[in-house]
Amino acid sequence: MRRTMGHIFMALSGLVLALPIIVVAGASLNGGRTMLFPPEDPNFARFVEFFITETIWVRALRNSLIVAFGSATLAVLLAWPLAYLLWAKGSKASKMLAGLGSLPFALPPIVFGVGLGFMWAFMGSLGAIWVGIVSHATLFLALPLVTISIGLQSIDRAHLDAAATMGATEAVTFRTVILPQTLPYSISGFFFALVLSFNEFIVMFFVSASAYATVTLQIFNSLRNGYTPTMAVAAVLFITVSIAVFSAVARWGDLPRLMGADQSRN
Amino acid sequence: MTAVDSTRTGLDAAAPNLRRPWGTWALGALILFLAVTPFILVIVISFGQKIEGAGWEWDFTFANYQRFFVGALWPDEVTFLHLQRLYYALYYAVIASVLAVATAFPFTYLLTRQSRRAQSCWLVFILASLSLSEVFIVMGWDVLLSNRSGLPMLFEVSGATDWLKRTGWFEVLREWGLANPRNVKFKTSEFATILTMSYLVWPYAVILLYPALSRLDPSLTEAARTMGAGPAKVMTSVILPSVKLPLIGSMLLLFVFLLGSYVTIVVFAEPAKQTTAVAVYESVRGATLDAPFGAAQAVVLLVTAALFLVLAQWLTKRSEAR
């Protein structure tokens, strides 16, 4: 009896969680240009519009992809040495650096966005697309930092000792023991940053300065004229990408562990 | 250069990139520059001054803060308009985060009792909805709550509206601002704002509670059960006390996260009940264009958020120490 009630509660929670997603996905099938649910004259015309024929959406999608891939790569490249420093040395300075590097993620993004807007304006580069990449890399630095740190902590010290006794140099140990064992965690961190950058809105809003638009920005800009089913297509694309990415992380990495299910080894 | 030369021979270096401290310094400087400068700029500019019709200039005046807390015309006239916006930011965030944690807690507890595989599936779903942009979530709820195609329509068609009218509940809803003369209405209302906000952080709540709940030792609850404690007793005397601190800690984190929410407020909150985040946007990029005052409001938001973050961190530390 209690078990059934538990299952019902979980199912209900899942349903509420899925509700807006279902509605948006349904609305994306509308044949006309009004956002109706259930959809009227359902077909895939809006999908063609979003991906192929309407240039504003095609361009916005391209910008989103450039920013997401660029910033996730940069975030991992910045987080790796920092996580390594933290793990190998654990000095006060490295802890403080990691803490400061995580600040943008922890504090309200609107404040960070306003600050970045000022900073890039002073440097005269506000509105350049690389500025968007660097801004997002900083904002999401905390994510690969956490996953890579979890990966480094999971390395068995015995492996390192074994490598050392067999005469491996630090560089060889790094390449043959540390790097392969932390690779899944680095990739997870990359994907977390990628997906969140893809969906981020407010920081992008301040640093793009209307010079270019990502998909989320374009949607917000079009809000004044009301929603159209073409925007719903974007939502469908985004949720599909997220599910695919996190499924991949779950398939090739250990998602429950990454989310902190196990006691961390000391 | 001597510092670089002397440390190159050092044997304490653990890996290739640690043998070159200048690399570490460069990394540190870069991260500090990118992550901290924006916040410093916001704080410095908040003391600046607006030039009528021409942007702003550096200064050291507290005028912006005075305007925030007591109004620009103080001491002749006192207005609390900006404080009221901060109050609404806190008000929405408190209710939404408490609501999210209260419903996410039983869910997460049940989740951690599932098989590893089932947990992975749920986590994928939860992470996907967690990362979904606020823009899309607002769009979804907007369609659901809008008068033409959403829940109000469903109320009308299913006869629920008539039933409410017959039983007298309709008048109560009207008093709460959730109905117009003909039908129920959810936009714009505190109800819609808080609902969407707590939906927004619900997946975060699950992710934050997940570690603490999945590390709960099952033998503890079993021991309590064998000693004759009922399920409710086990919950209140074993489970809740051991996760009390993470519970409050995650509530604080969600609260901080919600303080800055923007799209939800713009779409769902009544114009008179907008928050500081919206005001920041309006000052910096919107109609009024007063960057120093926008920065000052952002600083107030920042300080409020930082206070609660420190509190959350302290609680987490305490829970880990035990």
Side-chain angles (χ1 to χ4, degrees), chain A residues 29 37 46 62 70 81 92 140 177 182 188 205 209 211 221 235 238 245 248:
Chain A
L29 296 174
F37 187 83
R46 304 296 140 235
R62 204 191 58 205
K92 263 222 164 73
F140 297 123
V177 180
T182 49
S188 307
F205 179 76
N221 291 340
F238 277 42
V245 162

Side-chain angles (χ1 to χ4, degrees), chain A residues 22-66:
Chain A
I22 294 169
V23 167
V24 168
S28 73
L29 296 174
N30 269 305
R33 288 185 189 275
T34 28
M35 199 80 166
L36 292 168
F37 187 83
E40 219 164 51
D41 175 28
N43 61 50
F44 285 98
R46 304 296 140 235
F47 282 75
V48 176
E49 241 174 48
F50 180 81
F51 286 106
I52 300 159
T53 51
E54 279 200 6
T55 40
I56 47 163
W57 290 110
V58 176
R59 208 178 304 141
L61 182 59
R62 204 191 58 205
N63 287 337
S64 277
L65 287 172
I66 292 173

